[in-house]
Amino acid sequence: MHLNARIRRPRILIAVATAVAAVLAVALILALTVTTYDHTSPRAARGKASGSVAGNVDCRKAKCVALTFDGGPSLTTPRLLDILKQEDLHATFFVQGKGHIAKYPEILRRISEEEHEIGNHTWNHEDLTDIDVDDARQELTRTQGAIEKITGTRPILMRPPEGRTNRTVAKICRDLGLAQVLWSVTAKDYETTDSALITKRVLDQTHRDGIILLHDLHKGTVPAVPGIIKALKRRGYTIVTVSQLLAPAKPQPGMVYRP
């Protein structure tokens, strides 16, 4: 065997071993940061529950999809509420504290009075996985207190900003009685004002038991809602809140619900 060949083989083996180690390290990191909190789907949660469903919608039988809005209330929210009232529909609003609840308490009060579901979307829209535990808890407790002061009710649902969560966030939520709600449909309406594009993105991604994420504060979103509702109804969907989608299961504090 030539000297060069003898040298080359150990180098190849070292390179392979290094690559394998890197892949295993990435897999370990992903396992620790992504999959170590409890999570389930709306369908699975319903399947494990028993009992009757309050109201006239049973998503065990109906073809349901949950409609949710993040980041409000804002000046565009009243128009959205008008649309939902006209369609006799209820949605879930994950509201934010700074610049929203604090600025438009009367709009939040209207959301509550018209019997929409209200969830917690933190005070400053901080990534809860990237701040101190005490700060993360404060992001949620401050918002809980503000919502209760205005509506008389403390939320049982929250949506982590950017969908980022982990075991620590799950524990905080469990302590505060908050279930975490992610989504299966996003129109990325924060990057476009094109209502037709927003509508297309929603319809392309929607399936039974899905959760639609929209933002009522962006310019193109509210104008897209009537068309989205009309098309979903035409396709046989029943539009519900998150809690209706889960029923007869009850949202479990700390649990992450994602379709």
Side-chain angles (χ1 to χ4, degrees), residues 120-152:
N120 187 324
H121 197 43
T122 74
W123 192 261
N124 293 297
H125 203 260
E126 296 271 5
D127 177 351
L128 298 178
T129 68
D130 196 40
I131 57 178
D132 291 341
V133 173
D134 290 342
D135 291 339
R137 186 179 297 271
Q138 179 68 9
E139 280 286 311
L140 294 169
T141 55
R142 186 176 182 184
T143 310
Q144 289 286 88
I147 293 170
E148 184 176 24
K149 183 177 180 180
I150 294 167
T151 69

mmCIF file of all heavy atoms in Angstrom, residues 120-152:
data_model
loop_
_atom_site.group_PDB
_atom_site.id
_atom_site.type_symbol
_atom_site.label_atom_id
_atom_site.label_comp_id
_atom_site.label_asym_id
_atom_site.label_seq_id
_atom_site.Cartn_x
_atom_site.Cartn_y
_atom_site.Cartn_z
ATOM 1 N N ASN A 120 -54.280 34.622 25.782
ATOM 2 C CA ASN A 120 -53.140 35.443 26.179
ATOM 3 C C ASN A 120 -52.024 35.326 25.142
ATOM 4 O O ASN A 120 -51.616 34.227 24.792
ATOM 5 C CB ASN A 120 -52.665 34.943 27.553
ATOM 6 C CG ASN A 120 -51.593 35.805 28.179
ATOM 7 O OD1 ASN A 120 -50.733 36.349 27.513
ATOM 8 N ND2 ASN A 120 -51.630 35.886 29.508
ATOM 9 N N HIS A 121 -51.540 36.473 24.664
ATOM 10 C CA HIS A 121 -50.437 36.474 23.696
ATOM 11 C C HIS A 121 -49.253 37.281 24.214
ATOM 12 O O HIS A 121 -48.471 37.824 23.429
ATOM 13 C CB HIS A 121 -50.925 37.023 22.346
ATOM 14 C CG HIS A 121 -50.027 36.704 21.180
ATOM 15 N ND1 HIS A 121 -49.455 35.469 20.984
ATOM 16 C CD2 HIS A 121 -49.586 37.477 20.141
ATOM 17 C CE1 HIS A 121 -48.713 35.487 19.885
ATOM 18 N NE2 HIS A 121 -48.776 36.703 19.364
ATOM 19 N N THR A 122 -49.125 37.344 25.527
ATOM 20 C CA THR A 122 -48.052 38.023 26.260
ATOM 21 C C THR A 122 -48.214 39.541 26.224
ATOM 22 O O THR A 122 -49.056 40.078 25.508
ATOM 23 C CB THR A 122 -46.637 37.653 25.757
ATOM 24 O OG1 THR A 122 -46.372 38.277 24.503
ATOM 25 C CG2 THR A 122 -46.490 36.146 25.646
ATOM 26 N N TRP A 123 -47.381 40.212 27.002
ATOM 27 C CA TRP A 123 -47.455 41.670 27.103
ATOM 28 C C TRP A 123 -46.632 42.362 26.014
ATOM 29 O O TRP A 123 -47.115 43.245 25.320
ATOM 30 C CB TRP A 123 -46.984 42.141 28.479
ATOM 31 C CG TRP A 123 -47.309 43.580 28.717
ATOM 32 C CD1 TRP A 123 -46.475 44.663 28.574
ATOM 33 C CD2 TRP A 123 -48.572 44.116 29.102
ATOM 34 N NE1 TRP A 123 -47.144 45.829 28.829
ATOM 35 C CE2 TRP A 123 -48.440 45.523 29.175
ATOM 36 C CE3 TRP A 123 -49.816 43.541 29.388
ATOM 37 C CZ2 TRP A 123 -49.496 46.368 29.521
ATOM 38 C CZ3 TRP A 123 -50.862 44.374 29.746
ATOM 39 C CH2 TRP A 123 -50.700 45.773 29.809
ATOM 40 N N ASN A 124 -45.391 41.924 25.848
ATOM 41 C CA ASN A 124 -44.477 42.587 24.903
ATOM 42 C C ASN A 124 -44.147 41.768 23.668
ATOM 43 O O ASN A 124 -43.274 42.143 22.889
ATOM 44 C CB ASN A 124 -43.158 42.930 25.618
ATOM 45 C CG ASN A 124 -43.317 43.968 26.691
ATOM 46 O OD1 ASN A 124 -43.679 45.103 26.416
ATOM 47 N ND2 ASN A 124 -43.062 43.580 27.935
ATOM 48 N N HIS A 125 -44.814 40.633 23.497
ATOM 49 C CA HIS A 125 -44.538 39.732 22.376
ATOM 50 C C HIS A 125 -43.079 39.273 22.384
ATOM 51 O O HIS A 125 -42.414 39.160 21.351
ATOM 52 C CB HIS A 125 -44.869 40.393 21.037
ATOM 53 C CG HIS A 125 -45.145 39.413 19.936
ATOM 54 N ND1 HIS A 125 -44.204 39.071 18.987
ATOM 55 C CD2 HIS A 125 -46.251 38.686 19.632
ATOM 56 C CE1 HIS A 125 -44.726 38.189 18.145
ATOM 57 N NE2 HIS A 125 -45.962 37.932 18.513
ATOM 58 N N GLU A 126 -42.577 38.936 23.569
ATOM 59 C CA GLU A 126 -41.218 38.416 23.712
ATOM 60 C C GLU A 126 -41.192 36.922 23.404
ATOM 61 O O GLU A 126 -42.169 36.198 23.656
ATOM 62 C CB GLU A 126 -40.733 38.625 25.151
ATOM 63 C CG GLU A 126 -40.601 40.086 25.559
ATOM 64 C CD GLU A 126 -39.244 40.652 25.251
ATOM 65 O OE1 GLU A 126 -38.434 39.933 24.622
ATOM 66 O OE2 GLU A 126 -38.984 41.801 25.630
ATOM 67 N N ASP A 127 -40.068 36.462 22.885
ATOM 68 C CA ASP A 127 -39.835 35.025 22.734
ATOM 69 C C ASP A 127 -39.640 34.459 24.135
ATOM 70 O O ASP A 127 -38.615 34.700 24.784
ATOM 71 C CB ASP A 127 -38.597 34.799 21.868
ATOM 72 C CG ASP A 127 -38.227 33.330 21.718
ATOM 73 O OD1 ASP A 127 -38.822 32.478 22.411
ATOM 74 O OD2 ASP A 127 -37.317 33.040 20.924
ATOM 75 N N LEU A 128 -40.602 33.705 24.611
ATOM 76 C CA LEU A 128 -40.573 33.235 25.999
ATOM 77 C C LEU A 128 -39.447 32.246 26.261
ATOM 78 O O LEU A 128 -39.069 32.026 27.415
ATOM 79 C CB LEU A 128 -41.916 32.596 26.357
ATOM 80 C CG LEU A 128 -43.134 33.527 26.290
ATOM 81 C CD1 LEU A 128 -44.405 32.754 26.624
ATOM 82 C CD2 LEU A 128 -42.968 34.734 27.209
ATOM 83 N N THR A 129 -38.912 31.636 25.216
ATOM 84 C CA THR A 129 -37.823 30.675 25.396
ATOM 85 C C THR A 129 -36.467 31.367 25.477
ATOM 86 O O THR A 129 -35.459 30.709 25.735
ATOM 87 C CB THR A 129 -37.780 29.657 24.235
ATOM 88 O OG1 THR A 129 -37.389 30.333 23.013
ATOM 89 C CG2 THR A 129 -39.134 28.994 24.036
ATOM 90 N N ASP A 130 -36.444 32.669 25.278
ATOM 91 C CA ASP A 130 -35.177 33.390 25.172
ATOM 92 C C ASP A 130 -35.016 34.448 26.258
ATOM 93 O O ASP A 130 -34.131 35.295 26.168
ATOM 94 C CB ASP A 130 -35.075 34.027 23.781
ATOM 95 C CG ASP A 130 -33.662 34.472 23.435
ATOM 96 O OD1 ASP A 130 -32.726 33.730 23.776
ATOM 97 O OD2 ASP A 130 -33.494 35.564 22.847
ATOM 98 N N ILE A 131 -35.876 34.434 27.272
ATOM 99 C CA ILE A 131 -35.785 35.399 28.362
ATOM 100 C C ILE A 131 -35.787 34.652 29.691
ATOM 101 O O ILE A 131 -36.070 33.453 29.756
ATOM 102 C CB ILE A 131 -36.939 36.427 28.323
ATOM 103 C CG1 ILE A 131 -38.300 35.723 28.377
ATOM 104 C CG2 ILE A 131 -36.838 37.297 27.078
ATOM 105 C CD1 ILE A 131 -39.479 36.704 28.382
ATOM 106 N N ASP A 132 -35.466 35.371 30.758
ATOM 107 C CA ASP A 132 -35.432 34.754 32.084
ATOM 108 C C ASP A 132 -36.797 34.190 32.460
ATOM 109 O O ASP A 132 -37.833 34.694 32.021
ATOM 110 C CB ASP A 132 -35.019 35.790 33.130
ATOM 111 C CG ASP A 132 -33.562 36.220 32.983
ATOM 112 O OD1 ASP A 132 -32.805 35.474 32.336
ATOM 113 O OD2 ASP A 132 -33.207 37.292 33.511
ATOM 114 N N VAL A 133 -36.780 33.173 33.306
ATOM 115 C CA VAL A 133 -38.020 32.531 33.736
ATOM 116 C C VAL A 133 -38.963 33.539 34.382
ATOM 117 O O VAL A 133 -40.168 33.567 34.089
ATOM 118 C CB VAL A 133 -37.721 31.380 34.716
ATOM 119 C CG1 VAL A 133 -39.009 30.822 35.307
ATOM 120 C CG2 VAL A 133 -36.945 30.273 34.021
ATOM 121 N N ASP A 134 -38.438 34.382 35.251
ATOM 122 C CA ASP A 134 -39.285 35.366 35.920
ATOM 123 C C ASP A 134 -39.885 36.357 34.932
ATOM 124 O O ASP A 134 -41.045 36.767 35.071
ATOM 125 C CB ASP A 134 -38.496 36.120 36.991
ATOM 126 C CG ASP A 134 -38.139 35.241 38.183
ATOM 127 O OD1 ASP A 134 -38.769 34.175 38.345
ATOM 128 O OD2 ASP A 134 -37.230 35.617 38.948
ATOM 129 N N ASP A 135 -39.098 36.745 33.935
ATOM 130 C CA ASP A 135 -39.603 37.672 32.916
ATOM 131 C C ASP A 135 -40.677 37.006 32.062
ATOM 132 O O ASP A 135 -41.676 37.640 31.696
ATOM 133 C CB ASP A 135 -38.455 38.159 32.025
ATOM 134 C CG ASP A 135 -37.496 39.073 32.760
ATOM 135 O OD1 ASP A 135 -37.897 39.653 33.793
ATOM 136 O OD2 ASP A 135 -36.338 39.203 32.320
ATOM 137 N N ALA A 136 -40.471 35.733 31.729
ATOM 138 C CA ALA A 136 -41.468 35.004 30.940
ATOM 139 C C ALA A 136 -42.779 34.896 31.714
ATOM 140 O O ALA A 136 -43.869 35.083 31.159
ATOM 141 C CB ALA A 136 -40.944 33.618 30.584
ATOM 142 N N ARG A 137 -42.676 34.599 32.997
ATOM 143 C CA ARG A 137 -43.884 34.515 33.825
ATOM 144 C C ARG A 137 -44.602 35.863 33.874
ATOM 145 O O ARG A 137 -45.816 35.944 33.780
ATOM 146 C CB ARG A 137 -43.512 34.053 35.235
ATOM 147 C CG ARG A 137 -44.705 33.782 36.137
ATOM 148 C CD ARG A 137 -44.230 33.302 37.499
ATOM 149 N NE ARG A 137 -43.527 32.038 37.413
ATOM 150 C CZ ARG A 137 -44.126 30.855 37.486
ATOM 151 N NH1 ARG A 137 -45.446 30.790 37.659
ATOM 152 N NH2 ARG A 137 -43.427 29.752 37.400
ATOM 153 N N GLN A 138 -43.819 36.940 34.004
ATOM 154 C CA GLN A 138 -44.403 38.277 34.058
ATOM 155 C C GLN A 138 -45.089 38.646 32.755
ATOM 156 O O GLN A 138 -46.134 39.319 32.752
ATOM 157 C CB GLN A 138 -43.310 39.303 34.394
ATOM 158 C CG GLN A 138 -43.770 40.749 34.469
ATOM 159 C CD GLN A 138 -44.697 41.031 35.632
ATOM 160 O OE1 GLN A 138 -44.878 40.181 36.508
ATOM 161 N NE2 GLN A 138 -45.298 42.210 35.647
ATOM 162 N N GLU A 139 -44.530 38.210 31.621
ATOM 163 C CA GLU A 139 -45.154 38.460 30.324
ATOM 164 C C GLU A 139 -46.585 37.920 30.291
ATOM 165 O O GLU A 139 -47.481 38.528 29.695
ATOM 166 C CB GLU A 139 -44.340 37.796 29.209
ATOM 167 C CG GLU A 139 -43.114 38.558 28.784
ATOM 168 C CD GLU A 139 -43.466 39.787 27.965
ATOM 169 O OE1 GLU A 139 -44.258 39.674 27.020
ATOM 170 O OE2 GLU A 139 -42.951 40.870 28.296
ATOM 171 N N LEU A 140 -46.788 36.790 30.930
ATOM 172 C CA LEU A 140 -48.109 36.161 30.924
ATOM 173 C C LEU A 140 -49.001 36.671 32.055
ATOM 174 O O LEU A 140 -50.179 36.952 31.837
ATOM 175 C CB LEU A 140 -47.955 34.639 31.013
ATOM 176 C CG LEU A 140 -47.298 33.985 29.793
ATOM 177 C CD1 LEU A 140 -46.955 32.531 30.075
ATOM 178 C CD2 LEU A 140 -48.216 34.077 28.574
ATOM 179 N N THR A 141 -48.450 36.795 33.258
ATOM 180 C CA THR A 141 -49.290 37.205 34.389
ATOM 181 C C THR A 141 -49.787 38.642 34.226
ATOM 182 O O THR A 141 -50.924 38.950 34.582
ATOM 183 C CB THR A 141 -48.525 37.082 35.719
ATOM 184 O OG1 THR A 141 -47.298 37.822 35.650
ATOM 185 C CG2 THR A 141 -48.212 35.632 36.021
ATOM 186 N N ARG A 142 -48.954 39.505 33.690
ATOM 187 C CA ARG A 142 -49.392 40.891 33.487
ATOM 188 C C ARG A 142 -50.551 40.953 32.503
ATOM 189 O O ARG A 142 -51.509 41.703 32.689
ATOM 190 C CB ARG A 142 -48.221 41.748 32.985
ATOM 191 C CG ARG A 142 -48.541 43.228 32.895
ATOM 192 C CD ARG A 142 -47.311 44.029 32.488
ATOM 193 N NE ARG A 142 -47.602 45.452 32.439
ATOM 194 C CZ ARG A 142 -46.747 46.386 32.046
ATOM 195 N NH1 ARG A 142 -45.511 46.020 31.670
ATOM 196 N NH2 ARG A 142 -47.102 47.658 32.014
ATOM 197 N N THR A 143 -50.468 40.147 31.460
ATOM 198 C CA THR A 143 -51.533 40.115 30.455
ATOM 199 C C THR A 143 -52.796 39.483 31.025
ATOM 200 O O THR A 143 -53.908 39.959 30.778
ATOM 201 C CB THR A 143 -51.060 39.349 29.206
ATOM 202 O OG1 THR A 143 -49.788 39.865 28.796
ATOM 203 C CG2 THR A 143 -52.043 39.514 28.053
ATOM 204 N N GLN A 144 -52.628 38.414 31.804
ATOM 205 C CA GLN A 144 -53.772 37.789 32.468
ATOM 206 C C GLN A 144 -54.525 38.803 33.319
ATOM 207 O O GLN A 144 -55.759 38.904 33.268
ATOM 208 C CB GLN A 144 -53.302 36.630 33.360
ATOM 209 C CG GLN A 144 -52.821 35.398 32.641
ATOM 210 C CD GLN A 144 -53.926 34.576 32.023
ATOM 211 O OE1 GLN A 144 -54.318 34.826 30.881
ATOM 212 N NE2 GLN A 144 -54.435 33.610 32.757
ATOM 213 N N GLY A 145 -53.777 39.565 34.109
ATOM 214 C CA GLY A 145 -54.395 40.546 34.992
ATOM 215 C C GLY A 145 -55.131 41.633 34.237
ATOM 216 O O GLY A 145 -56.239 42.044 34.626
ATOM 217 N N ALA A 146 -54.535 42.096 33.145
ATOM 218 C CA ALA A 146 -55.163 43.165 32.360
ATOM 219 C C ALA A 146 -56.453 42.671 31.705
ATOM 220 O O ALA A 146 -57.456 43.401 31.672
ATOM 221 C CB ALA A 146 -54.192 43.665 31.299
ATOM 222 N N ILE A 147 -56.426 41.453 31.183
ATOM 223 C CA ILE A 147 -57.626 40.896 30.545
ATOM 224 C C ILE A 147 -58.735 40.715 31.579
ATOM 225 O O ILE A 147 -59.896 41.077 31.332
ATOM 226 C CB ILE A 147 -57.302 39.558 29.861
ATOM 227 C CG1 ILE A 147 -56.358 39.783 28.676
ATOM 228 C CG2 ILE A 147 -58.588 38.860 29.391
ATOM 229 C CD1 ILE A 147 -55.796 38.500 28.077
ATOM 230 N N GLU A 148 -58.379 40.186 32.740
ATOM 231 C CA GLU A 148 -59.390 39.965 33.783
ATOM 232 C C GLU A 148 -59.986 41.286 34.269
ATOM 233 O O GLU A 148 -61.192 41.369 34.522
ATOM 234 C CB GLU A 148 -58.774 39.199 34.953
ATOM 235 C CG GLU A 148 -59.802 38.860 36.028
ATOM 236 C CD GLU A 148 -59.214 38.024 37.140
ATOM 237 O OE1 GLU A 148 -57.980 38.070 37.348
ATOM 238 O OE2 GLU A 148 -59.993 37.311 37.813
ATOM 239 N N LYS A 149 -59.168 42.300 34.398
ATOM 240 C CA LYS A 149 -59.657 43.602 34.863
ATOM 241 C C LYS A 149 -60.690 44.177 33.912
ATOM 242 O O LYS A 149 -61.680 44.795 34.333
ATOM 243 C CB LYS A 149 -58.478 44.571 35.013
ATOM 244 C CG LYS A 149 -58.874 45.929 35.567
ATOM 245 C CD LYS A 149 -57.656 46.813 35.751
ATOM 246 C CE LYS A 149 -58.051 48.186 36.313
ATOM 247 N NZ LYS A 149 -56.860 49.067 36.499
ATOM 248 N N ILE A 150 -60.516 43.965 32.616
ATOM 249 C CA ILE A 150 -61.415 44.535 31.611
ATOM 250 C C ILE A 150 -62.630 43.659 31.360
ATOM 251 O O ILE A 150 -63.750 44.149 31.201
ATOM 252 C CB ILE A 150 -60.641 44.775 30.297
ATOM 253 C CG1 ILE A 150 -59.571 45.856 30.508
ATOM 254 C CG2 ILE A 150 -61.588 45.185 29.168
ATOM 255 C CD1 ILE A 150 -58.569 45.946 29.386
ATOM 256 N N THR A 151 -62.424 42.340 31.327
ATOM 257 C CA THR A 151 -63.505 41.424 30.934
ATOM 258 C C THR A 151 -64.131 40.666 32.098
ATOM 259 O O THR A 151 -65.207 40.091 31.951
ATOM 260 C CB THR A 151 -62.986 40.385 29.921
ATOM 261 O OG1 THR A 151 -62.085 39.488 30.581
ATOM 262 C CG2 THR A 151 -62.289 41.066 28.759
ATOM 263 N N GLY A 152 -63.427 40.614 33.220
ATOM 264 C CA GLY A 152 -63.919 39.847 34.357
ATOM 265 C C GLY A 152 -63.565 38.373 34.305
ATOM 266 O O GLY A 152 -63.962 37.609 35.187
#
